[in-house]
Amino acid sequence: MPARHTRLAPRSTHGELAAALAALREEFEVPAEFPAAARAEAAASVPEPAPLADLREIPFATLDPLGAKDLDQAFHLEARGSGWRVRYAIADLPAFVRPGAALDAEARRRGQTLYLPDGSVPLHPRELSEGRASLLPGEERPAFVWTIDLDAAGAEVAARVERARVRSRARLDYAAAQRAIDAGAATGPLALLPELGALRIAQERSRGGASLNLPEEEIVRDGSGYRIERRFPLPVEEWNAQLSLLAGMAAGGIMLAGGIGILRTMPEPDAAALAEFRARVSALGRPWPAGLGYGDYLRGLAPGTPATAAVLQAAAALFRGADYAAFDETGGEPRLARPADPRQAAIAAPYAHVTAPLRRLVDRWGLVVCAALCAGREVPEWVRESLPEVPGLMRASNQRAGRISSAALDRVEAALVRDRVGEAFDAVVIEVRGDRARVQLAEPAVTAFCPADGLAAGTPARVRVTSADVPSGAIGLALLGRSPAGGSAAGRSAAGRAAAPEGETSSR
């Protein structure tokens, strides 16, 4: 099962749960501070002197969760004749980090920003990631600027990236942007985003790709205690994500043409995984019709419903085997061969991570490679020398982030039912593993295992909480029997939960 997007509102961090989360950081050796040498480098760093294009007149805007300060991307859209021009500015973090020095070494050790229920652990010191390197509005910044021309149908015609000086004009947040679009009050590049986003989604459909817009879950606390609230992504978030995908696919193409780079790959799901998925969604009451493409099936689901959330969780099990593949076939004898299949199966195209350098290590290499190739220059030797190490660094970082996220969620969920041991709950079966069934309670939306005893995925059940240990995150459930007919209990409850309040944002 995939990691669920969950965070704990800061006001909720106290008592036994806060202690358990703090212990978790110690258990996984999550770094609390940056080494003194890395901090000193960050404090003294200035963008490296380089000839930069002057694109400060372009009215870029950022679009992120409310309150975000680590602003990696800014966009500008323009209708040109029958087609489009997309400009996508990415924070030039490489301009601030000297390869081989202390800050670089610490970033390689961390690999990515960690988003934990009790706060984030940044990849770079915040004075960079939320300050001098962030694309904050009104501030002149160095950036890698993608210029991608599209035809009338939204298909790529040409793409390049260059280092430039930019100045963002506006910091937009998802909720306010969606309200402006819905009210017909959006202006500038935001006004064009719905049309272009729809075209790019149509292009995804034609490629056979499929985006998984999993609902985000947030842990909040009020006078009655903790609860999990589910929020489905807004349309503007999906349109915005299409811009990042566009840049990533352009980068993949540039790397393959240039013979050097690092791709994000993922194999097609095998027949057994597809058969299991068909069985699960059929049990959930949303069968996948024969002859309908996988992406078309997902896009045809009713947005924002509990049943769709369950199907998307099941679909995420197909998105396995994602990896990074570095290759270098330049300079005579290839140092690293390109992957036999360079595609990312869910995107249905070659793809590279190049849009989040403030929060993800690998993007620094991808951006520098693409900028050098587009400028007709040699890729820097530090990139070529270190390229073979990057996939391993990212694998280790992703595994660590996944384990920490799963362990943190276990402890939060145990806290949600700690005072309800002995109570009975309606639940729905998510999956069956041998003699155990993984179920989700109706309210709160907690998952745990109980005896299977003939249960199948998608069936309702009645369970009793027998134990809940916050320090370990262990929850014990006893199966009482099948729930009455009338739809899944978890679905009925989720339908009645309110969206997360404005200002309480999840990890990006």
Side-chain angles (χ1 to χ4, degrees):
M1 294 295 293
R4 289 155 60 189
H5 303 288
T6 309
R7 72 182 290 274
L8 184 69
R11 63 177 179 273
S12 302
T13 57
H14 71 284
E16 188 178 17
L17 178 56
L21 294 173
L24 191 65
R25 290 176 177 246
E26 293 184 9
E27 176 185 344
F28 286 93
E29 299 181 345
V30 176
E33 300 290 344
F34 284 84
R39 294 199 310 271
E41 284 184 17
S45 65
V46 294
E48 62 182 15
L52 301 178
D54 188 352
L55 299 181
R56 289 174 294 177
E57 80 283 358
I58 304 296
F60 286 104
T62 59
L63 180 56
D64 296 273
L66 182 65
K69 296 179 181 179
D70 51 344
L71 308 181
D72 284 291
Q73 312 111 8
F75 73 101
H76 181 264
L77 309 177
E78 178 184 355
R80 292 173 61 89
S82 61
W84 301 80
R85 170 160 288 182
V86 176
R87 288 189 177 92
Y88 206 43
I90 309 299
D92 191 349
L93 191 280
F96 294 88
V97 178
R98 183 159 52 91
L103 184 55
D104 178 35
E106 181 63 14
R108 296 189 195 198
R109 186 171 76 89
R110 296 184 178 218
Q112 62 187 283
T113 294
L114 296 176
Y115 293 95
L116 303 177
D118 56 349
S120 65
V121 181
L123 173 62
H124 303 100
R126 296 188 193 276
E127 61 195 278
L128 285 184
S129 61
E130 298 181 358
R132 286 178 289 118
S134 179
L135 301 182
L136 298 169
E139 300 291 340
E140 181 178 325
R141 292 288 187 262
F144 291 87
V145 178
W146 291 91
T147 301
I148 306 175
D149 291 329
L150 309 175
D151 64 18
E156 180 189 316
V157 174
R160 69 181 189 277
V161 64
E162 61 186 330
R163 295 178 106 158
R165 293 193 302 274
V166 302
R167 183 182 291 116
S168 175
R169 300 296 196 275
R171 177 163 60 181
L172 308 176
D173 70 84
Y174 293 137
Q178 188 67 58
R179 289 195 298 269
I181 290 170
D182 292 343
T187 60
L190 182 63
L192 299 177
L193 185 58
E195 182 180 356
L196 182 58
L199 290 174
R200 290 304 303 172
I201 291 170
Q203 288 291 321
E204 180 179 79
R205 182 181 299 115
S206 68
R207 293 193 312 271
S211 295
L212 272 185
N213 296 311
L214 290 170
E216 296 178 342
E217 292 175 333
E218 181 182 19
I219 312 301
V220 297
R221 181 179 182 270
D222 57 19
S224 61
Y226 295 99
R227 69 183 186 279
I228 297 177
E229 293 183 340
R230 174 177 290 162
R231 186 187 71 84
F232 279 82
L234 298 168
V236 72
E237 295 177 68
E238 183 175 4
W239 303 327
N240 188 49
Q242 287 294 327
L243 299 182
S244 182
L245 291 174
L246 176 62
M249 287 186 287
I254 290 170
M255 291 174 180
L256 289 170
I260 182 171
I262 180 164
L263 300 173
R264 182 64 165 160
T265 61
M266 189 175 72
E268 295 281 354
D270 59 27
L274 288 172
E276 180 183 354
F277 174 70
R278 285 187 181 277
R280 287 183 63 184
V281 298
S282 180
L284 290 168
R286 295 295 185 273
W288 178 9
L292 184 65
Y294 171 72
D296 288 332
Y297 165 69
L298 293 181
R299 279 183 288 269
L301 298 171
T305 68
T308 294
V311 170
L312 292 176
Q313 290 284 349
L318 296 177
F319 287 64
R320 293 170 175 162
D323 200 2
Y324 292 95
F327 62 100
D328 183 358
E329 301 175 334
T330 63
E333 186 69 21
R335 298 188 183 189
L336 296 167
R338 69 180 62 196
D341 184 356
R343 296 176 305 155
Q344 208 276 16
I347 296 173
Y351 173 73
H353 276 156
V354 291
T355 62
L358 299 180
R359 295 175 278 123
R360 192 171 49 209
L361 179 71
V362 65
D363 299 54
R364 179 151 47 107
W365 276 256
L367 286 164
V368 172
V369 166
C370 288
L373 293 174
C374 287
R377 297 193 303 268
E378 290 291 326
V379 172
E381 188 59 27
W382 72 264
V383 172
R384 299 187 70 205
E385 289 179 350
S386 58
L387 195 58
E389 305 170 14
V390 180
L393 293 174
M394 291 308 302
R395 289 184 204 115
S397 176
N398 286 339
Q399 290 168 3
R400 182 191 198 192
R403 291 195 301 268
I404 294 173
S405 177
S406 178
L409 182 59
D410 288 346
R411 285 151 178 78
V412 170
E413 291 187 326
L416 292 173
V417 295
R418 175 190 55 190
D419 297 328
R420 305 183 70 178
V421 172
E423 291 187 35
F425 296 84
D426 286 334
V428 65
V429 180
I430 298 174
E431 61 180 333
V432 175
R433 300 180 185 175
D435 61 354
R436 299 198 305 163
R438 189 167 184 262
V439 303
Q440 179 174 311
L441 306 188
E443 181 61 39
V446 164
T447 60
F449 284 94
C450 73
D453 286 352
L455 295 175
T459 59
R462 186 78 173 167
V463 298
R464 174 178 289 117
V465 176
T466 58
S467 62
D469 183 69
V470 176
S472 69
I475 297 173
L477 297 180
L479 178 64
L480 300 180
R482 295 282 297 271
S483 290
S488 83
R492 292 195 303 273
S493 175
R497 286 200 295 270
E502 286 185 30
E504 300 296 342
T505 59
S506 65
S507 66
R508 287 174 289 157

